[in-house]
Amino acid sequence: MLDYIIVGSGLAGIAFAETLLQNHKSFVVFDNHSQNSSKIAGGLYNPVILKRFSQVWNANEQLELADIFYQRIEAKLNTQVDFKLPIYRKFFSIEEQNNWFAASDKPALTPFLSTEIVHKQYSGIDAPFGYGEVLHTGYVDTEVLLNQYHAYLRNLDLLVESAFDYSELEVLDDNLRYQNLKAKHIVFAEGFGMHANPFFKHLPLDGTKGELFIIKAPKLDLDVIVNTSVFILPLGNDLFKVGATYNWGDKTDLPTEEGKQELIDRIKEILTCDFEIIDHFAGVRPTVKDRRPLLGTHHLHKNLHILNGLGTRGVMLAPAMALDLYDYIENGKALDKSADIRRYGLAK
């Protein structure tokens, strides 16, 4: 009998799989790769919500666990996935500079906001008011991470690349059966695909579509991540990842002309140099209105669990939330009430 079946192998699924490996638990992962939001994500980690100048929920703990997690993954895969880069917030006025200094005085933000304005000139960007530097930031190359980790699981014969058929799941009191498998627990980490899950589809997972570009800009000289109305992330070889849009109505993962034009307009507000669009991606982020994850156990079936709702911060959230769910299932450690699915009551 397996300890776990995991459904989904995006950031949430692989974080839980790695947690199980660290704790010597047996498992298999099912995924038909129908959800692409983890793979095409910007991958930034940033402890500050710059629009509102507030600290990300539990940022200190998440950053600490993420750092350990990605170091371990890099050693295991012999591949760099975590790139520690400053994020520079471009200022458009003296007022924005003043707002930055006011925010940096908040005790929760002091460790993360530099009080020195950066006046470095980057060719291709006009920034007469300079930049504010966010500390303890960077990005994870999620495409490399997921491709390499899937290959790792494949080599261990732990990845089943097919759709999960909910109608074939037989839930018993002390275990569950699926096709030819028996397991003690199942964890659903399906991202926006949760809407097809009959056990958890009552939960309010909104889904927010995001579109991104890869652009080529030979005259843009940038060695940091610049964040304004979009982020611009240097990839090397004159290539940059740029994003992202937010669309709450469209739930497809197809790029749109509207998203394309929005990104072009925003890039032109920042760059003074020419650029060429090399690629255009779209995906639906698993977002929740209260901006908190969806963790917990089905109210009727004690061996059915969920790890979802990581939204726009999956890179930071996944390692911490996977550990929280594992400790909840295996050790009876209470979940944070603001992340526990019981905040939404029982399924009808």
Side-chain angles (χ1 to χ4, degrees):
M1 185 187 296
L2 293 169
D3 292 309
Y4 286 86
I5 294 171
I6 302 171
V7 182
S9 67
L11 285 168
I14 69 164
F16 198 78
E18 182 61 22
T19 302
L20 293 181
L21 285 171
Q22 292 301 311
N23 288 278
H24 311 291
K25 298 292 185 181
S26 58
F27 66 92
V28 67
V29 180
F30 279 82
D31 201 346
N32 64 348
H33 308 298
S34 61
Q35 303 300 314
N36 70 339
S37 65
S38 286
K39 188 167 282 192
I40 66 108
L44 273 62
Y45 52 91
N46 173 7
V48 181
I49 301 169
L50 291 170
K51 280 184 183 177
R52 298 188 294 276
F53 282 127
S54 56
Q55 186 188 23
V56 170
W57 172 69
N58 287 350
N60 293 328
E61 176 195 2
Q62 289 169 26
L63 282 173
E64 184 178 338
L65 289 172
D67 192 49
I68 295 168
F69 177 83
Y70 294 115
Q71 281 187 38
R72 189 165 61 227
I73 292 289
E74 288 179 332
K76 175 176 289 190
L77 302 179
N78 195 28
T79 304
Q80 185 177 6
V81 298
D82 182 4
F83 298 84
K84 299 186 186 305
L85 280 182
I87 291 179
Y88 282 9
R89 172 66 180 270
K90 180 184 169 182
F91 296 134
F92 288 87
S93 65
I94 296 293
E95 182 184 10
E96 287 195 356
Q97 291 179 349
N98 292 336
N99 290 342
W100 179 275
F101 286 125
S104 67
D105 279 339
K106 297 178 182 177
L109 297 182
T110 298
F112 303 120
L113 298 181
S114 171
T115 54
E116 291 186 18
I117 294 178
V118 178
H119 285 290
K120 183 174 179 180
Q121 294 300 313
Y122 291 102
S123 65
I125 302 180
D126 186 22
F129 297 99
Y131 306 89
E133 181 180 355
V134 189
L135 308 174
H136 309 294
T137 60
Y139 77 97
V140 170
D141 189 327
T142 55
E143 183 175 13
V144 169
L145 168 65
L146 293 175
N147 286 340
Q148 293 282 332
Y149 203 86
H150 292 162
Y152 172 76
L153 292 176
R154 213 175 278 124
N155 288 339
L156 294 174
D157 204 24
L158 298 177
L159 182 62
V160 181
E161 293 174 273
S162 66
F164 188 86
D165 186 345
Y166 305 100
S167 67
E168 292 194 40
L169 180 63
E170 183 184 2
V171 184
L172 306 172
D173 285 341
D174 57 350
N175 65 76
L176 44 89
R177 315 272 174 100
Y178 181 75
Q179 295 176 349
N180 62 336
L181 298 174
K182 277 179 68 177
K184 297 175 185 175
H185 300 278
I186 187 166
V187 171
F188 292 104
E190 305 145 299
F192 192 66
M194 187 201 79
H195 286 282
N197 186 322
F199 303 103
F200 292 105
K201 65 181 180 181
H202 66 284
L203 294 171
L205 188 73
D206 289 339
T208 309
K209 182 172 182 172
E211 300 189 45
L212 301 95
F213 284 164
I214 302 294
I215 65 169
K216 186 164 191 173
K219 293 185 178 177
L220 177 58
D221 172 27
L222 194 63
D223 58 358
V224 298
I225 302 164
V226 168
N227 187 307
T228 57
S229 58
V230 290
F231 66 81
I232 302 177
L233 165 63
L235 299 174
N237 300 317
D238 299 327
L239 297 176
F240 302 85
K241 184 179 280 190
V242 181
T245 62
Y246 290 82
N247 185 322
W248 287 266
D250 183 358
K251 307 300 184 186
T252 70
D253 59 5
L254 301 173
T256 65
E257 281 301 313
E258 292 83 1
K260 180 179 180 179
Q261 192 57 52
E262 181 182 340
L263 284 174
I264 289 172
D265 291 344
R266 291 188 181 186
I267 293 169
K268 287 181 175 178
E269 290 174 357
I270 305 165
L271 300 188
T272 58
C273 61
D274 293 333
F275 62 91
E276 175 190 358
I277 300 167
I278 302 298
D279 219 335
H280 182 187
F281 307 99
V284 181
R285 312 171 184 92
T287 52
V288 184
K289 275 196 173 71
D290 66 5
R291 298 187 177 90
R292 294 291 182 268
L294 298 172
L295 303 184
T297 298
H298 193 274
H299 66 288
L300 294 178
H301 306 295
K302 64 182 181 181
N303 40 17
L304 271 59
H305 316 280
I306 187 167
L307 174 56
N308 209 319
L310 304 188
T312 61
R313 301 187 181 276
V315 160
M316 267 181 73
L317 277 170
M321 296 303 97
L323 183 59
D324 282 357
L325 183 63
Y326 178 84
D327 278 342
Y328 169 71
I329 296 169
E330 294 289 337
N331 304 317
K333 183 180 176 183
L335 292 169
D336 187 308
K337 288 181 181 178
S338 64
D340 192 327
I341 58 172
R342 285 180 290 190
R343 69 191 189 273
Y344 291 113
L346 307 181
K348 297 291 189 286

